[in-house]
Amino acid sequence: QLKLVNPSQYRFEHLVTQMKWRLQEGRGEAVYQIGVEDNGLLVGLSDEEMRASLKTLRRMAEKVGADITVLREREVDYDSDVPRKITEVLVRKVPDNQQFLDLRVAVLGNVDSGKSTLLGVLTQGELDNGRGRARLNLFRHLHEIQSGRTSSISFEILGFNSKGEVVNYSDSRTAEEICESSSKMITFIDLAGHHKYLKTTIFGLTSYCPDFAMLVVSANTGIAGTTREHLGLAMALKVPFFIVISKVDLCSKATVERTVKQLERILKQPGCNKLPLLVNSDDDAVTAAQQFAQSPNITPIFTLSSVSGENLDLLKVFLNILPPLTNSKEQEELMQQLTEFQVDEIYTVPEVGTVVGGTLSSGICREGENLVVGPTDDGKFLRLKVCSIQRNRSACRVLRAGQAATLALGPFDRSLLRKGMVMVSPEMNPTICSVFEAEIVLLFHATTFRKGFQVTVHVGNVRQTAIVEKIHGKDKLRTGEKAVVCFRFIKHPEYLKIGAKLLFREGVTKGIGHVTDLQAITTKENGLEESLGPGQLSF
Protein backbone atom coordinates (compact mmCIF):
# COMPACT_ATOMS: atom_id res chain seq x y z
CA GLN A 1 0.00 0.00 0.00
CA LEU A 2 1.35 3.47 -0.80
CA LYS A 3 -0.61 5.49 1.75
CA LEU A 4 -3.87 5.21 3.65
CA VAL A 5 -4.45 8.86 4.64
CA ASN A 6 -8.08 9.74 5.50
CA PRO A 7 -9.80 7.45 2.96
CA SER A 8 -13.44 8.07 1.99
CA GLN A 9 -16.06 5.76 3.53
CA TYR A 10 -16.39 3.78 0.29
CA ARG A 11 -12.60 3.38 -0.07
CA PHE A 12 -12.36 2.39 3.63
CA GLU A 13 -14.94 -0.39 3.17
CA HIS A 14 -13.06 -1.56 0.08
CA LEU A 15 -9.77 -1.65 2.04
CA VAL A 16 -11.43 -3.60 4.88
CA THR A 17 -12.79 -6.20 2.43
CA GLN A 18 -9.33 -6.49 0.90
CA MET A 19 -7.79 -7.03 4.35
CA LYS A 20 -10.34 -9.77 5.15
CA TRP A 21 -9.46 -11.56 1.92
CA ARG A 22 -5.71 -11.27 2.57
CA LEU A 23 -6.07 -12.63 6.08
CA GLN A 24 -8.11 -15.55 4.78
CA GLU A 25 -5.50 -16.34 2.11
CA GLY A 26 -2.68 -16.23 4.65
CA ARG A 27 -4.65 -18.30 7.18
CA GLY A 28 -4.91 -15.41 9.63
CA GLU A 29 -1.73 -13.47 8.87
CA ALA A 30 -0.80 -10.74 6.39
CA VAL A 31 2.14 -8.33 6.10
CA TYR A 32 1.41 -4.79 4.89
CA GLN A 33 4.20 -2.60 3.50
CA ILE A 34 3.25 1.06 3.76
CA GLY A 35 5.07 3.57 1.60
CA VAL A 36 5.66 1.15 -1.29
CA GLU A 37 3.90 1.60 -4.64
CA ASP A 38 2.05 -1.34 -6.22
CA ASN A 39 4.88 -1.84 -8.70
CA GLY A 40 7.35 -2.22 -5.82
CA LEU A 41 8.89 1.28 -6.01
CA LEU A 42 10.09 2.43 -2.58
CA VAL A 43 8.60 5.93 -2.28
CA GLY A 44 8.26 6.33 1.48
CA LEU A 45 5.99 8.67 3.44
CA SER A 46 6.63 11.69 5.63
CA ASP A 47 6.11 11.26 9.39
CA GLU A 48 2.68 12.84 9.32
CA GLU A 49 1.41 10.71 6.42
CA MET A 50 2.86 7.59 8.07
CA ARG A 51 1.08 8.34 11.35
CA ALA A 52 -2.22 8.88 9.51
CA SER A 53 -1.74 5.70 7.46
CA LEU A 54 -1.04 3.60 10.58
CA LYS A 55 -4.10 5.10 12.26
CA THR A 56 -6.24 4.05 9.27
CA LEU A 57 -4.67 0.58 9.33
CA ARG A 58 -5.52 0.28 13.04
CA ARG A 59 -9.13 1.26 12.28
CA MET A 60 -9.28 -1.36 9.50
CA ALA A 61 -7.83 -4.01 11.82
CA GLU A 62 -10.34 -3.16 14.56
CA LYS A 63 -13.16 -3.50 12.05
CA VAL A 64 -12.13 -7.10 11.15
CA GLY A 65 -11.11 -7.94 14.74
CA ALA A 66 -7.38 -8.23 14.08
CA ASP A 67 -4.27 -6.92 15.86
CA ILE A 68 -1.36 -5.13 14.27
CA THR A 69 2.35 -5.05 15.15
CA VAL A 70 4.94 -2.82 13.50
CA LEU A 71 7.73 -5.13 12.34
CA ARG A 72 10.24 -2.52 11.17
CA GLU A 73 10.64 1.07 9.97
CA ARG A 74 13.18 2.18 7.39
CA GLU A 75 14.19 5.55 5.99
CA VAL A 76 14.47 5.70 2.20
CA ASP A 77 16.67 7.91 0.05
CA TYR A 78 14.08 9.62 -2.10
CA ASP A 79 14.60 12.99 -3.84
CA SER A 80 13.09 15.24 -1.20
CA ASP A 81 14.18 17.38 1.76
CA VAL A 82 11.82 15.72 4.25
CA PRO A 83 12.95 12.29 5.58
CA ARG A 84 10.62 9.62 4.22
CA LYS A 85 9.95 6.20 5.77
CA ILE A 86 8.59 2.78 4.87
CA THR A 87 6.92 0.65 7.53
CA GLU A 88 6.18 -3.07 7.53
CA VAL A 89 3.21 -4.13 9.63
CA LEU A 90 2.08 -7.63 10.60
CA VAL A 91 -1.70 -8.02 10.79
CA ARG A 92 -2.86 -11.12 12.65
CA LYS A 93 -6.36 -12.39 13.27
CA VAL A 94 -7.12 -15.80 14.70
CA PRO A 95 -9.72 -17.46 12.41
CA ASP A 96 -13.18 -17.64 14.00
CA ASN A 97 -13.24 -21.42 13.94
CA GLN A 98 -10.05 -22.01 15.95
CA GLN A 99 -8.27 -20.86 19.09
CA PHE A 100 -4.89 -20.06 17.53
CA LEU A 101 -2.74 -20.40 14.43
CA ASP A 102 -0.72 -23.59 14.65
CA LEU A 103 2.69 -24.48 13.20
CA ARG A 104 4.66 -27.69 13.76
CA VAL A 105 8.46 -27.55 13.71
CA ALA A 106 10.55 -30.73 13.92
CA VAL A 107 13.94 -30.32 15.62
CA LEU A 108 16.82 -32.26 14.05
CA GLY A 109 20.58 -32.40 14.53
CA ASN A 110 23.45 -34.54 15.75
CA VAL A 111 23.65 -35.88 19.30
CA ASP A 112 24.96 -33.19 21.73
CA SER A 113 24.24 -30.31 19.34
CA GLY A 114 21.98 -28.63 21.91
CA LYS A 115 18.48 -29.35 20.54
CA SER A 116 16.67 -30.01 23.82
CA THR A 117 18.53 -27.20 25.58
CA LEU A 118 17.53 -24.67 22.91
CA LEU A 119 13.89 -25.76 23.21
CA GLY A 120 14.12 -25.58 27.01
CA VAL A 121 15.40 -22.00 26.80
CA LEU A 122 12.73 -20.95 24.26
CA THR A 123 9.81 -22.54 26.09
CA GLN A 124 10.86 -21.89 29.72
CA GLY A 125 12.14 -18.35 29.14
CA GLU A 126 15.29 -18.97 31.21
CA LEU A 127 18.84 -19.24 29.90
CA ASP A 128 20.84 -22.44 30.39
CA ASN A 129 23.62 -22.71 32.94
CA GLY A 130 25.93 -24.48 30.46
CA ARG A 131 25.42 -27.89 32.11
CA GLY A 132 22.00 -28.80 30.76
CA ARG A 133 19.60 -27.36 33.32
CA ALA A 134 17.24 -25.98 30.67
CA ARG A 135 16.48 -29.34 29.10
CA LEU A 136 15.51 -31.25 32.25
CA ASN A 137 11.84 -30.34 31.87
CA LEU A 138 11.73 -31.78 28.36
CA PHE A 139 12.87 -35.30 29.14
CA ARG A 140 10.28 -38.05 29.48
CA HIS A 141 12.33 -40.93 30.93
CA LEU A 142 14.77 -41.35 33.80
CA HIS A 143 17.49 -42.75 31.52
CA GLU A 144 17.27 -39.59 29.41
CA ILE A 145 17.92 -37.39 32.45
CA GLN A 146 20.86 -39.60 33.48
CA SER A 147 22.52 -39.75 30.04
CA GLY A 148 21.33 -36.34 28.81
CA ARG A 149 20.23 -37.93 25.53
CA THR A 150 16.74 -37.69 24.09
CA SER A 151 15.47 -41.13 23.05
CA SER A 152 11.75 -40.43 22.60
CA ILE A 153 9.67 -37.83 20.81
CA SER A 154 8.54 -34.99 23.05
CA PHE A 155 6.40 -31.96 22.26
CA GLU A 156 7.02 -28.44 23.49
CA ILE A 157 4.88 -25.39 22.87
CA LEU A 158 5.86 -21.77 22.34
CA GLY A 159 3.15 -19.12 21.97
CA PHE A 160 3.13 -15.63 20.49
CA ASN A 161 0.37 -13.17 21.41
CA SER A 162 -1.25 -10.87 18.88
CA LYS A 163 1.38 -8.19 19.54
CA GLY A 164 4.17 -10.62 18.64
CA GLU A 165 5.40 -11.07 22.22
CA VAL A 166 6.55 -14.50 23.41
CA VAL A 167 4.18 -16.45 25.67
CA ASN A 168 5.93 -19.37 27.38
CA TYR A 169 6.19 -21.17 30.72
CA SER A 170 7.96 -18.21 32.41
CA ASP A 171 5.85 -16.45 35.06
CA SER A 172 4.77 -20.00 36.01
CA ARG A 173 2.07 -20.27 33.36
CA THR A 174 0.39 -23.60 32.64
CA ALA A 175 -0.07 -25.05 29.17
CA GLU A 176 -3.76 -24.03 29.24
CA GLU A 177 -2.83 -20.42 30.02
CA ILE A 178 -0.33 -20.38 27.15
CA CYS A 179 -3.06 -21.62 24.78
CA GLU A 180 -5.54 -19.04 26.03
CA SER A 181 -3.27 -16.01 25.70
CA SER A 182 -1.58 -16.93 22.40
CA SER A 183 -2.76 -16.11 18.93
CA LYS A 184 -0.06 -18.25 17.33
CA MET A 185 1.34 -21.51 18.68
CA ILE A 186 4.47 -23.24 17.57
CA THR A 187 4.68 -26.90 18.53
CA PHE A 188 8.26 -28.15 18.55
CA ILE A 189 8.73 -31.87 17.99
CA ASP A 190 11.96 -32.70 19.83
CA LEU A 191 13.59 -35.66 18.08
CA ALA A 192 16.54 -37.85 19.04
CA GLY A 193 19.99 -37.08 17.61
CA HIS A 194 21.74 -40.34 18.44
CA HIS A 195 22.19 -42.85 15.63
CA LYS A 196 20.78 -45.60 17.83
CA TYR A 197 17.38 -43.86 17.87
CA LEU A 198 17.25 -43.12 14.13
CA LYS A 199 14.02 -45.09 13.68
CA THR A 200 12.31 -42.87 16.28
CA THR A 201 13.51 -39.75 14.47
CA ILE A 202 12.26 -41.04 11.10
CA PHE A 203 8.92 -41.92 12.69
CA GLY A 204 8.65 -38.39 14.11
CA LEU A 205 9.35 -36.85 10.71
CA THR A 206 7.04 -39.07 8.68
CA SER A 207 4.05 -39.41 11.01
CA TYR A 208 3.74 -35.99 12.63
CA CYS A 209 3.85 -34.14 9.25
CA PRO A 210 5.85 -31.10 10.46
CA ASP A 211 5.48 -27.82 8.52
CA PHE A 212 9.16 -26.97 8.95
CA ALA A 213 12.32 -28.52 10.33
CA MET A 214 14.97 -26.82 12.44
CA LEU A 215 18.42 -28.37 12.03
CA VAL A 216 20.62 -27.63 15.05
CA VAL A 217 24.39 -27.71 14.45
CA SER A 218 26.92 -27.21 17.24
CA ALA A 219 29.40 -24.41 16.42
CA ASN A 220 32.36 -26.22 17.98
CA THR A 221 31.91 -29.61 16.29
CA GLY A 222 30.47 -28.46 12.96
CA ILE A 223 28.80 -30.98 10.67
CA ALA A 224 29.34 -34.32 12.35
CA GLY A 225 27.56 -37.60 13.06
CA THR A 226 23.95 -37.73 12.01
CA THR A 227 23.76 -34.10 10.79
CA ARG A 228 24.10 -34.99 7.10
CA GLU A 229 21.67 -37.86 7.53
CA HIS A 230 19.03 -35.63 9.14
CA LEU A 231 19.57 -33.03 6.42
CA GLY A 232 19.02 -35.79 3.83
CA LEU A 233 15.84 -36.96 5.60
CA ALA A 234 14.36 -33.45 5.61
CA MET A 235 15.14 -33.08 1.90
CA ALA A 236 13.81 -36.53 1.01
CA LEU A 237 10.51 -35.77 2.76
CA LYS A 238 10.47 -32.26 1.22
CA VAL A 239 10.21 -30.54 4.61
CA PRO A 240 11.52 -26.95 4.32
CA PHE A 241 14.28 -26.47 6.89
CA PHE A 242 16.26 -23.67 8.51
CA ILE A 243 19.52 -24.04 10.41
CA VAL A 244 20.51 -22.96 13.92
CA ILE A 245 24.20 -22.96 14.88
CA SER A 246 24.24 -23.30 18.67
CA LYS A 247 26.94 -22.97 21.37
CA VAL A 248 28.58 -19.88 19.84
CA ASP A 249 29.62 -18.81 23.37
CA LEU A 250 32.04 -21.76 23.56
CA CYS A 251 34.20 -20.88 20.58
CA SER A 252 35.90 -18.05 18.77
CA LYS A 253 34.42 -16.02 15.93
CA ALA A 254 36.73 -17.81 13.47
CA THR A 255 35.36 -21.23 14.49
CA VAL A 256 31.75 -20.02 14.06
CA GLU A 257 32.63 -18.62 10.64
CA ARG A 258 34.25 -21.90 9.67
CA THR A 259 31.09 -23.83 10.62
CA VAL A 260 28.95 -21.33 8.66
CA LYS A 261 31.20 -21.73 5.59
CA GLN A 262 31.10 -25.52 5.91
CA LEU A 263 27.28 -25.40 5.97
CA GLU A 264 27.10 -22.96 3.06
CA ARG A 265 29.32 -25.25 1.00
CA ILE A 266 27.08 -28.28 1.67
CA LEU A 267 23.87 -26.31 0.98
CA LYS A 268 25.15 -25.06 -2.37
CA GLN A 269 26.11 -28.55 -3.60
CA PRO A 270 24.23 -29.84 -6.69
CA GLY A 271 22.17 -32.29 -4.59
CA CYS A 272 20.93 -29.57 -2.22
CA ASN A 273 20.69 -26.46 -4.43
CA LYS A 274 19.82 -24.22 -1.46
CA LEU A 275 20.59 -20.55 -1.04
CA PRO A 276 21.97 -19.91 2.48
CA LEU A 277 20.92 -16.65 4.17
CA LEU A 278 22.87 -15.74 7.33
CA VAL A 279 20.68 -13.84 9.81
CA ASN A 280 22.55 -11.12 11.73
CA SER A 281 19.86 -8.52 12.52
CA ASP A 282 16.11 -8.10 13.03
CA ASP A 283 15.86 -6.94 9.43
CA ASP A 284 17.42 -10.18 8.21
CA ALA A 285 15.06 -12.22 10.38
CA VAL A 286 11.95 -10.49 8.95
CA THR A 287 13.23 -10.89 5.38
CA ALA A 288 14.23 -14.51 6.02
CA ALA A 289 10.75 -15.46 7.31
CA GLN A 290 9.01 -13.89 4.31
CA GLN A 291 11.41 -15.27 1.69
CA PHE A 292 11.61 -18.72 3.31
CA ALA A 293 7.85 -19.20 3.01
CA GLN A 294 7.76 -18.04 -0.60
CA SER A 295 10.70 -20.01 -1.95
CA PRO A 296 11.76 -23.28 -0.31
CA ASN A 297 15.27 -22.95 -1.78
CA ILE A 298 16.25 -20.29 0.73
CA THR A 299 17.76 -21.63 3.95
CA PRO A 300 18.08 -19.13 6.82
CA ILE A 301 21.06 -19.73 9.16
CA PHE A 302 21.00 -18.44 12.76
CA THR A 303 24.04 -18.32 15.07
CA LEU A 304 23.02 -18.27 18.73
CA SER A 305 23.83 -19.39 22.24
CA SER A 306 21.44 -20.91 24.77
CA VAL A 307 23.77 -19.91 27.62
CA SER A 308 24.51 -16.25 26.89
CA GLY A 309 21.23 -15.73 25.01
CA GLU A 310 23.07 -14.17 22.05
CA ASN A 311 20.83 -13.75 18.96
CA LEU A 312 17.98 -15.73 20.56
CA ASP A 313 15.65 -12.81 19.87
CA LEU A 314 16.32 -13.07 16.13
CA LEU A 315 15.04 -16.66 16.16
CA LYS A 316 11.92 -15.54 18.06
CA VAL A 317 11.24 -12.73 15.54
CA PHE A 318 11.62 -15.27 12.71
CA LEU A 319 9.27 -17.80 14.33
CA ASN A 320 6.68 -15.10 15.05
CA ILE A 321 6.45 -14.01 11.41
CA LEU A 322 6.82 -17.46 9.83
CA PRO A 323 3.59 -18.02 7.86
CA PRO A 324 1.85 -21.40 7.48
CA LEU A 325 2.67 -23.32 4.30
CA THR A 326 -0.76 -24.33 3.08
CA ASN A 327 -3.28 -21.67 2.24
CA SER A 328 -6.87 -21.70 3.48
CA LYS A 329 -8.23 -23.13 0.21
CA GLU A 330 -6.14 -26.32 0.47
CA GLN A 331 -7.19 -26.80 4.10
CA GLU A 332 -10.88 -26.35 3.26
CA GLU A 333 -10.61 -28.98 0.51
CA LEU A 334 -9.07 -31.41 3.03
CA MET A 335 -11.79 -30.67 5.57
CA GLN A 336 -14.52 -31.61 3.09
CA GLN A 337 -13.16 -35.16 2.73
CA LEU A 338 -14.07 -38.07 4.99
CA THR A 339 -12.47 -38.24 8.44
CA GLU A 340 -9.08 -39.94 8.70
CA PHE A 341 -6.95 -39.84 11.88
CA GLN A 342 -3.44 -41.36 12.07
CA VAL A 343 -2.64 -43.11 15.35
CA ASP A 344 0.93 -42.27 16.45
CA GLU A 345 0.86 -42.88 20.19
CA ILE A 346 -1.29 -44.86 22.60
CA TYR A 347 -1.61 -44.24 26.35
CA THR A 348 -3.77 -45.45 29.20
CA VAL A 349 -4.86 -42.57 31.43
CA PRO A 350 -6.36 -43.29 34.87
CA GLU A 351 -10.11 -42.52 35.06
CA VAL A 352 -10.17 -41.66 31.33
CA GLY A 353 -9.31 -45.00 29.73
CA THR A 354 -7.50 -45.46 26.45
CA VAL A 355 -6.16 -42.32 24.77
CA VAL A 356 -4.63 -42.11 21.29
CA GLY A 357 -2.43 -39.29 19.99
CA GLY A 358 -1.90 -38.39 16.35
CA THR A 359 -2.77 -36.14 13.44
CA LEU A 360 -6.06 -35.68 11.62
CA SER A 361 -5.00 -35.94 7.98
CA SER A 362 -8.40 -35.15 6.45
CA GLY A 363 -11.98 -34.30 7.38
CA ILE A 364 -13.36 -33.04 10.69
CA CYS A 365 -13.61 -34.98 13.95
CA ARG A 366 -16.11 -34.04 16.68
CA GLU A 367 -16.68 -35.24 20.22
CA GLY A 368 -19.06 -38.20 20.34
CA GLU A 369 -18.35 -39.26 16.76
CA ASN A 370 -18.42 -42.95 15.79
CA LEU A 371 -15.37 -44.12 13.82
CA VAL A 372 -13.73 -47.42 12.90
CA VAL A 373 -10.09 -48.23 13.72
CA GLY A 374 -7.81 -50.71 12.00
CA PRO A 375 -6.44 -52.72 10.37
CA THR A 376 -5.97 -55.31 13.12
CA ASP A 377 -3.54 -58.22 12.63
CA ASP A 378 -6.16 -60.12 10.63
CA GLY A 379 -7.16 -57.05 8.59
CA LYS A 380 -10.37 -56.15 10.39
CA PHE A 381 -11.71 -52.73 11.47
CA LEU A 382 -13.28 -52.20 14.91
CA ARG A 383 -15.97 -49.70 15.81
CA LEU A 384 -15.29 -47.08 18.49
CA LYS A 385 -16.56 -43.75 19.80
CA VAL A 386 -14.54 -40.56 20.40
CA CYS A 387 -15.38 -39.47 23.96
CA SER A 388 -13.34 -36.26 24.20
CA ILE A 389 -10.59 -34.35 22.35
CA GLN A 390 -7.59 -32.42 23.69
CA ARG A 391 -5.27 -30.17 21.71
CA ASN A 392 -2.06 -28.81 23.25
CA ARG A 393 -3.27 -30.01 26.67
CA SER A 394 -6.52 -28.03 26.59
CA ALA A 395 -9.99 -29.37 25.71
CA CYS A 396 -11.29 -28.85 22.21
CA ARG A 397 -14.69 -29.71 20.70
CA VAL A 398 -13.84 -29.96 17.01
CA LEU A 399 -10.66 -31.13 15.31
CA ARG A 400 -9.88 -29.95 11.76
CA ALA A 401 -7.69 -31.43 9.04
CA GLY A 402 -3.96 -30.98 9.64
CA GLN A 403 -4.25 -30.55 13.42
CA ALA A 404 -2.59 -32.83 15.97
CA ALA A 405 -4.52 -33.89 19.06
CA THR A 406 -5.23 -36.65 21.56
CA LEU A 407 -8.59 -38.45 21.52
CA ALA A 408 -10.03 -40.29 24.52
CA LEU A 409 -11.74 -43.55 23.54
CA GLY A 410 -13.21 -44.54 26.93
CA PRO A 411 -13.19 -48.25 27.84
CA PHE A 412 -11.82 -49.42 24.44
CA ASP A 413 -9.30 -52.28 24.89
CA ARG A 414 -5.79 -50.86 24.48
CA SER A 415 -4.28 -54.19 23.39
CA LEU A 416 -6.30 -54.02 20.15
CA LEU A 417 -4.50 -50.82 19.12
CA ARG A 418 -0.98 -50.25 17.75
CA LYS A 419 0.99 -47.42 16.17
CA GLY A 420 0.35 -47.13 12.45
CA MET A 421 -3.39 -47.76 12.59
CA VAL A 422 -5.92 -45.27 11.22
CA MET A 423 -9.29 -44.17 12.54
CA VAL A 424 -11.66 -43.44 9.66
CA SER A 425 -15.35 -42.72 9.20
CA PRO A 426 -17.33 -45.97 8.68
CA GLU A 427 -18.51 -45.00 5.16
CA MET A 428 -14.96 -44.67 3.84
CA ASN A 429 -14.50 -48.40 3.13
CA PRO A 430 -10.70 -48.14 3.60
CA THR A 431 -8.29 -50.08 1.36
CA ILE A 432 -5.69 -52.18 3.14
CA CYS A 433 -2.89 -54.18 1.63
CA SER A 434 -0.03 -56.54 2.42
CA VAL A 435 1.62 -56.29 -1.01
CA PHE A 436 2.37 -52.94 -2.63
CA GLU A 437 4.60 -51.46 -5.31
CA ALA A 438 6.75 -48.36 -4.99
CA GLU A 439 9.06 -46.41 -7.25
CA ILE A 440 12.27 -46.09 -5.27
CA VAL A 441 15.77 -44.61 -5.43
CA LEU A 442 18.47 -46.49 -3.57
CA LEU A 443 20.45 -43.81 -1.72
CA PHE A 444 23.13 -46.00 -0.23
CA HIS A 445 23.79 -49.72 -0.15
CA ALA A 446 26.96 -51.65 0.65
CA THR A 447 26.46 -54.43 -1.91
CA THR A 448 23.54 -55.09 -4.27
CA PHE A 449 19.86 -54.84 -3.42
CA ARG A 450 17.95 -57.89 -4.69
CA LYS A 451 14.81 -60.04 -4.30
CA GLY A 452 14.32 -61.48 -0.80
CA PHE A 453 16.03 -58.52 0.92
CA GLN A 454 14.31 -57.37 4.16
CA VAL A 455 13.97 -53.67 4.96
CA THR A 456 12.06 -51.54 7.48
CA VAL A 457 9.56 -49.43 5.56
CA HIS A 458 8.28 -46.08 6.85
CA VAL A 459 5.16 -44.64 5.15
CA GLY A 460 3.48 -41.89 7.18
CA ASN A 461 2.77 -43.41 10.57
CA VAL A 462 3.24 -46.98 9.30
CA ARG A 463 6.49 -48.68 10.29
CA GLN A 464 6.98 -52.36 9.49
CA THR A 465 9.48 -54.82 8.05
CA ALA A 466 8.83 -55.76 4.43
CA ILE A 467 10.38 -58.27 2.01
CA VAL A 468 11.38 -57.32 -1.52
CA GLU A 469 9.22 -59.64 -3.67
CA LYS A 470 10.29 -58.42 -7.09
CA ILE A 471 12.30 -55.66 -8.81
CA HIS A 472 10.66 -54.79 -12.13
CA GLY A 473 12.95 -54.94 -15.15
CA LYS A 474 16.14 -55.65 -13.17
CA ASP A 475 17.75 -58.42 -11.15
CA LYS A 476 19.49 -56.19 -8.67
CA LEU A 477 19.93 -52.54 -7.72
CA ARG A 478 23.07 -50.60 -6.87
CA THR A 479 23.53 -47.26 -5.06
CA GLY A 480 21.86 -44.37 -6.91
CA GLU A 481 19.67 -46.54 -9.18
CA LYS A 482 15.91 -46.16 -9.65
CA ALA A 483 13.34 -48.94 -10.03
CA VAL A 484 9.77 -50.02 -9.30
CA VAL A 485 9.90 -52.59 -6.52
CA CYS A 486 7.21 -54.87 -5.14
CA PHE A 487 7.23 -55.15 -1.30
CA ARG A 488 5.28 -57.46 1.02
CA PHE A 489 4.67 -56.71 4.71
CA ILE A 490 5.85 -59.49 7.02
CA LYS A 491 3.39 -59.22 9.92
CA HIS A 492 0.04 -57.65 9.11
CA PRO A 493 -1.70 -55.63 6.39
CA GLU A 494 -1.52 -51.83 6.61
CA TYR A 495 -3.59 -48.90 5.39
CA LEU A 496 -1.62 -47.14 2.61
CA LYS A 497 -2.42 -44.53 -0.02
CA ILE A 498 -1.10 -44.28 -3.57
CA GLY A 499 1.39 -41.43 -3.86
CA ALA A 500 2.44 -41.57 -0.19
CA LYS A 501 6.15 -40.85 0.47
CA LEU A 502 8.17 -43.87 1.50
CA LEU A 503 11.51 -44.29 3.31
CA PHE A 504 13.20 -47.59 3.94
CA ARG A 505 16.34 -48.59 5.81
CA GLU A 506 18.24 -51.66 6.97
CA GLY A 507 21.61 -51.17 8.62
CA VAL A 508 23.43 -48.84 6.25
CA THR A 509 20.96 -49.37 3.38
CA LYS A 510 18.73 -46.39 2.77
CA GLY A 511 16.22 -45.49 0.08
CA ILE A 512 13.34 -43.16 -0.66
CA GLY A 513 10.41 -43.24 -3.05
CA HIS A 514 6.63 -43.19 -3.29
CA VAL A 515 3.86 -45.80 -3.37
CA THR A 516 2.63 -46.42 -6.93
CA ASP A 517 0.25 -49.39 -6.65
CA LEU A 518 -1.59 -51.38 -3.97
CA GLN A 519 -2.91 -54.93 -4.07
CA ALA A 520 -5.97 -54.17 -1.97
CA ILE A 521 -7.69 -56.58 0.37
CA THR A 522 -11.28 -55.33 0.53
CA THR A 523 -12.59 -54.73 4.03
CA LYS A 524 -16.13 -55.74 2.99
CA GLU A 525 -15.09 -59.41 3.16
CA ASN A 526 -13.41 -58.89 6.51
CA GLY A 527 -16.53 -57.31 7.93
CA LEU A 528 -16.58 -54.91 10.86
CA GLU A 529 -16.12 -56.27 14.33
CA GLU A 530 -17.81 -54.64 17.22
CA SER A 531 -15.97 -54.30 20.48
CA LEU A 532 -18.44 -54.60 23.35
CA GLY A 533 -15.91 -54.46 26.11
CA PRO A 534 -12.44 -55.72 26.89
CA GLY A 535 -11.95 -58.98 25.06
CA GLN A 536 -15.58 -59.59 24.02
CA LEU A 537 -16.20 -59.72 20.29
CA SER A 538 -19.52 -60.27 18.59
CA PHE A 539 -20.26 -60.52 14.88
Side-chain angles (χ1 to χ4, degrees), residues 222-290:
I223 296 169
T226 48
T227 309
R228 281 168 204 263
E229 215 161 301
H230 287 181
L231 188 70
L233 283 176
M235 291 194 64
L237 294 165
K238 294 190 170 59
V239 179
F241 60 90
F242 57 95
I243 296 177
V244 170
I245 297 177
S246 64
K247 306 191 184 181
V248 295
D249 57 299
L250 283 182
C251 42
S252 64
K253 263 206 168 108
T255 316
V256 177
E257 278 168 20
R258 197 178 67 214
T259 306
V260 171
K261 284 203 171 72
Q262 192 185 11
L263 273 168
E264 286 179 341
R265 200 168 56 242
I266 282 192
L267 291 172
K268 287 175 183 168
Q269 279 175 358
C272 264
N273 282 338
K274 299 281 185 200
L275 189 66
L277 174 63
L278 190 61
V279 177
N280 289 321
S281 64
D282 279 0
D283 256 16
D284 294 349
V286 175
T287 312
Q290 292 170 0

Side-chain angles (χ1 to χ4, degrees), residues 359-380:
T359 312
L360 188 70
S361 43
S362 65
I364 288 180
C365 179
R366 294 183 176 83
E367 276 187 3
E369 197 158 334
N370 290 307
L371 300 172
V372 295
V373 66
T376 56
D377 291 359
D378 46 6
K380 291 189 169 61

Side-chain angles (χ1 to χ4, degrees), residues 404-424:
T406 49
L407 312 182
L409 308 178
F412 193 84
D413 186 3
R414 177 184 173 162
S415 61
L416 299 171
L417 296 170
R418 60 180 169 79
K419 282 185 187 182
M421 280 187 165
V422 284
M423 284 162 50
V424 293

Side-chain angles (χ1 to χ4, degrees), residues 11 25 28 54 66 84 132 135 215 256 364 441 450 459 472:
R11 165 102 173 117
E25 275 300 284
L54 284 175
R84 301 175 79 90
R135 65 184 179 196
L215 184 70
V256 177
I364 288 180
V441 180
R450 56 180 75 231
V459 188
H472 292 283

Side-chain angles (χ1 to χ4, degrees), residues 32 35 100 108 124 173 201 204 242 258 372 374 501:
Y32 273 73
F100 40 75
L108 299 169
Q124 309 293 333
R173 289 191 191 94
T201 303
F242 57 95
R258 197 178 67 214
V372 295
K501 293 195 195 94

